[in-house]
Amino acid sequence: MLKRVFLLGYPVAHSVSPAMQNAAFRALGLPWQYELLATPPAKLREVVARLRRADCAGANVTIPHKQAVFNLVDQVSETARKIGAVNTIINDHGRLIGDNTDVFGVLQTSAQAQIDPQAAQIVIMGAGGGARAVAFALAQAGAANICILNRTPSRAAELIDTIRTHFPHLSVAANCVDAIDHADIIVNATPIGMSPHVGESPMPRGKNFPRGVIAFDLVYRPLQTQFLRDAGIAGAQTIDGLGMLVHQGAASFQMWTKQNAPIEIMFAAALHALNGDGHATLSNCR
Ligand code: NAP
């Protein structure tokens, strides 16, 4: 039987996950298909309910549903529960299990870029599902100082409460814009700069990249965002969103199929689908 996996999000047209996941299914000879499913918030409950069908293996969940979907599945993994965000749903014989592979994606990416978060001042811009994964991954890797900057202050405060619950010794603050001046790692976990708004940057007006900073953008379309371009000009080490995308996708693939993901094939397919948008850092994925 043809098995189907969906990407639930709004918008989803920018995604390279179908190219990446379908290449992996083909490489392993699986009769599976990964499809985009543009899902406006009002339709989310109905769409998630349909994932219980026998021909559906599960789904990925992206902007803006990672937190909303949390209450629509039957069970969540410990990681997803701690973070409060689900990016992967597994259909286990009609029972929907929510998990989160973004944390793994961040951990892999930061390890490959040799990021040591332990003594670093970290600034995360955004407080949604992606920001939650970054905060948890870096806290798990030993971060001691994190500042969350977000458009909606109450959402930053919620994320801080969640982090404090699980990492009580971590120093965490909200909307301390001046932390940028002495940051060691700045992460863009907002969609600002994502195609088609390629000229936009999430950096607050009047703020510069400090010397020696590492700039990590979760956005992967385009690979070379305005945020990373500005950071590069300022001499920063830059990390694009492709490595994280491939690693979280490979972990999701393994959850659905119970088989090892062909990670190099997934990386090449994602890069091919992005072709023309910029130059990937292959080292992100090795
Ligand atoms: P999300 O849960 O919807 O959160 C989006 C965050 O960005 C929220 O904090 C939101 O602030 C903020 N934001 C959105 N538009 C903004 C604007 N115009 N100005 C200022 N802040 C804005 O989304 P997400 O799932 O975290 O995704 C965020 C980005 O990361 C997307 O571009 C997504 O594609 C990317 N991402 C990439 C990967 C990867 O593997 N590379 C993984 C996860 C996410 P409010 O709270 O004020 O709404």
Side-chain angles (χ1 to χ4, degrees), residues 125 180 186 192 201-210 227 230:
M125 297 186 282
I180 288 181
I186 305 177
I192 300 173
S201 165
M203 281 292 272
R205 205 177 292 272
K207 287 292 173 194
N208 298 314
F209 289 91
F227 172 69
D230 293 343

Side-chain angles (χ1 to χ4, degrees), residues 88-192:
T88 303
I89 299 174
I90 303 114
N91 178 13
D92 183 12
H93 302 95
R95 197 172 159 72
L96 299 183
I97 300 164
D99 211 324
N100 192 304
T101 63
D102 281 338
V103 176
F104 177 75
V106 177
L107 284 172
Q108 290 294 106
T109 303
S110 58
Q112 281 163 355
Q114 299 185 321
I115 291 179
D116 178 7
Q118 290 193 15
Q121 170 63 62
I122 298 159
V123 174
I124 301 172
M125 297 186 282
R132 283 179 169 261
V134 172
F136 268 74
L138 296 181
Q140 217 170 294
N145 277 292
I146 297 182
C147 169
I148 311 285
L149 300 182
N150 195 50
R151 176 177 62 181
T152 308
S154 60
R155 214 166 165 203
E158 274 172 37
L159 173 52
I160 282 172
D161 281 350
T162 316
I163 298 170
R164 281 205 182 114
T165 305
H166 299 288
F167 302 95
H169 303 299
L170 200 152
S171 161
V172 63
N175 293 326
C176 38
V177 179
D178 290 344
I180 288 181
D181 299 338
H182 44 93
D184 302 295
I185 302 170
I186 305 177
V187 183
N188 176 31
T190 77
I192 300 173

Side-chain angles (χ1 to χ4, degrees), residues 1 3 27-28 48 50 79 143 159 226 277 286:
M1 181 184 12
K3 282 268 187 188
L28 270 67
V48 170
R50 276 194 264 139
T79 308
L159 173 52
Q226 188 65 46
D277 275 326
R286 281 158 199 260

Side-chain angles (χ1 to χ4, degrees), residues 14 62-64 66-67 102 126-131 150-152 155 189-192 194 218-220 241 244-245 248:
H14 67 280
T62 188
I63 187 170
K66 286 181 184 177
Q67 288 172 267
D102 281 338
N150 195 50
R151 176 177 62 181
T152 308
R155 214 166 165 203
T190 77
I192 300 173
M194 189 165 96
L218 268 59
V219 172
Y220 59 83
M244 176 178 168
L245 177 82
Q248 62 79 31

Side-chain angles (χ1 to χ4, degrees), residues 33-120:
Q33 200 165 296
Y34 188 104
E35 299 167 29
L36 297 177
L37 195 52
T39 309
K43 291 260 178 205
L44 185 63
R45 178 176 292 274
E46 179 191 327
V47 167
V48 170
R50 276 194 264 139
L51 300 177
R52 297 175 202 280
R53 297 201 310 219
D55 67 339
C56 176
N60 275 139
V61 182
T62 188
I63 187 170
H65 300 316
K66 286 181 184 177
Q67 288 172 267
V69 87
F70 191 86
N71 296 316
L72 302 179
V73 293
D74 302 308
Q75 188 184 326
V76 288
S77 70
E78 198 187 335
T79 308
R81 184 180 54 75
K82 279 187 184 165
I83 299 171
V86 163
N87 83 326
T88 303
I89 299 174
I90 303 114
N91 178 13
D92 183 12
H93 302 95
R95 197 172 159 72
L96 299 183
I97 300 164
D99 211 324
N100 192 304
T101 63
D102 281 338
V103 176
F104 177 75
V106 177
L107 284 172
Q108 290 294 106
T109 303
S110 58
Q112 281 163 355
Q114 299 185 321
I115 291 179
D116 178 7
Q118 290 193 15

